[in-house]
Amino acid sequence: MTEDLKHLKERCADCNRQGVPMNKEHIFPKWLILRTRTNQSGIRWGGKHDVPALACTFPLCEDCNTAFGKELEGPVSMLFEEIEQGRGITDFEAELLIRWMWKIEGLAWIANHPDVLYSEKYTLRERVLFPIDDIRGRLILGVALIKELHPESDDFPMGVDSTNEYSVVFVSGVFSRVATMTVLDEFETMIPSQFGRYRLAPVRQQLQGGKLFYPPTSFKDDVEAVGVTKIASDRISVSHDRMAISLQKAKEKEDNES
Ligand SMILES: [Zn+2]
C-alpha cells in the first residue's frame, strides 16, 4: 500500500463504516491474476511499472471482503470459464459481469482519489452488490473473445480501459480472453464492430434463465483486443462524461430554481 492510502485503513472505503475489522482486498482478484498469469509479469499500478499483481491490495472491512468473495468473485470466476468455453451468458450473468467490472473500476477510482467521496447516491458496496436499478434496461453489454495469445505476449491482458471521471456507467477492459464494455444505449453505435452486444432486460428475473448471449471470438490475439478496446474506450469515456456533466448541470439549475 502506498503512503497516501494509509488513512483509508481507518474507514472502509466500500461501506463507509468505521471501527470495523479490516482486511485487504486485491484490486484485481487473485483468481484472475492466476488465470492471466500476471503474477509472473507484473502490472502498471500507482504510476509504477511491473508491480506484482498480487501486491496491489486495498483496505476493506472483513465483512465487505467476504461479501465480495461470495457474491461476486466466486460466481464471476466460474462465469469466465463459461464464457471462454463458448457456453454463453444469461441475463443475470450479464448483470453480474457488469457489477463486477464496476467493482474493479470503483476500487481503482477510490485508490486514485482517496480524499473524495465515491458517490453521494450510494456506497460502492451498495452499487456492486445490490441489483442494478432502473437503468438496467438501458445498459448494453459488449463482449468479444480473443482467439489466442500474441507470440510476443507472455501473459493475458488484465486491465480497465475506460477513463471516464464523472460517468459511473461506462466501464471497459480486457481480462484474460474476454474484452468487454458496458455502455448506455444511446452510445451503442460507438461499440467496435468486433463486439457482440446484449441489452439487459429492464427488470431482473427471479429465476436464473437460459443463455441468451453468445459473444463472438473476433479478436485474433490479445494485442488486437487491447488496441481496439483502448482506442474506442477513450472516445466512449468522453461521451459518457459529457452527458454526466450536462445532467449534473441541469440538476443544479433545477435545484437552484426550486
Ligand atoms: Zn466495508
Side-chain angles (χ1 to χ4, degrees):
M1 196 181 349
T2 52
E3 279 299 317
D4 54 330
L5 291 183
K6 275 192 175 148
H7 76 281
L8 287 172
K9 271 174 125 173
E10 315 289 317
R11 176 181 59 84
C12 176
D14 184 32
C15 63
N16 286 330
R17 281 183 295 185
Q18 269 180 316
V20 286
M22 297 294 281
N23 212 329
K24 279 183 191 168
E25 172 86 354
H26 287 96
I27 304 261
F28 293 101
K30 203 171 164 187
W31 65 265
L32 185 64
I33 293 170
L34 298 176
R35 192 172 186 104
T36 52
R37 296 185 237 147
T38 41
N39 55 321
Q40 309 283 342
S41 45
I43 59 167
R44 272 176 296 129
W45 180 250
K48 290 185 203 135
H49 286 270
D50 298 327
V51 179
L54 287 170
C56 299
T57 60
F58 189 81
L60 285 190
C61 78
E62 282 180 15
D63 187 49
C64 284
N65 205 293
T66 307
F68 277 162
K70 189 165 156 263
E71 293 177 45
L72 270 185
E73 297 303 342
V76 172
S77 65
M78 286 188 280
L79 177 58
F80 261 73
E81 185 63 25
E82 290 275 296
I83 297 174
E84 293 189 352
Q85 295 292 330
R87 291 194 210 111
I89 304 174
T90 67
D91 186 72
F92 173 74
E93 288 167 343
E95 172 177 329
L96 207 60
L97 188 61
I98 291 172
R99 288 198 271 115
W100 176 81
M101 282 197 286
W102 282 345
K103 177 204 159 194
I104 291 191
E105 191 227 12
L107 286 181
W109 192 92
I110 293 170
N112 288 325
H113 304 78
D115 299 316
V116 188
L117 188 65
Y118 174 66
S119 154
E120 281 176 17
K121 200 172 161 195
Y122 30 42
T123 62
L124 180 62
R125 179 185 170 119
E126 287 164 351
R127 177 147 192 261
V128 302
L129 292 185
F130 287 9
I132 296 177
D133 57 17
D134 43 6
I135 205 171
R136 198 181 196 281
R138 291 188 54 206
L139 296 180
I140 311 288
L141 174 68
V143 180
L145 300 179
I146 297 167
K147 190 160 178 271
E148 60 194 10
L149 207 57
H150 187 274
E152 280 166 32
S153 303
D154 39 13
D155 57 19
F156 275 94
M158 183 181 70
V160 172
D161 292 311
S162 44
T163 54
N164 35 312
E165 285 279 316
Y166 301 96
S167 165
V168 291
V169 172
F170 179 56
V171 63
S172 68
V174 187
F175 308 95
S176 184
R177 288 183 50 225
V178 180
T180 177
M181 52 179 69
T182 301
V183 309
L184 265 180
D185 53 4
E186 57 198 279
F187 303 115
E188 181 176 352
T189 55
M190 297 179 83
I191 300 176
S193 58
Q194 289 90 343
F195 287 72
R197 300 176 207 167
Y198 174 74
R199 181 191 287 267
L200 273 72
V203 182
R204 187 166 124 186
Q205 306 294 312
Q206 282 304 314
L207 294 167
Q208 169 70 255
K211 300 284 189 182
L212 295 171
F213 177 32
Y214 292 87
T217 303
S218 43
F219 286 122
K220 67 175 192 295
D221 58 38
D222 50 307
V223 174
E224 184 185 50
V226 171
V228 169
T229 307
K230 237 184 221 319
I231 289 169
S233 295
D234 283 346
R235 290 186 302 127
I236 305 175
S237 296
V238 170
S239 300
H240 280 76
D241 267 352
R242 266 197 207 127
M243 196 189 67
I245 292 166
S246 69
L247 285 175
Q248 179 63 28
K249 280 193 180 142
K251 191 180 167 287
E252 280 168 12
K253 192 162 173 261
E254 204 174 279
D255 290 349
N256 286 339
E257 282 164 5
S258 62

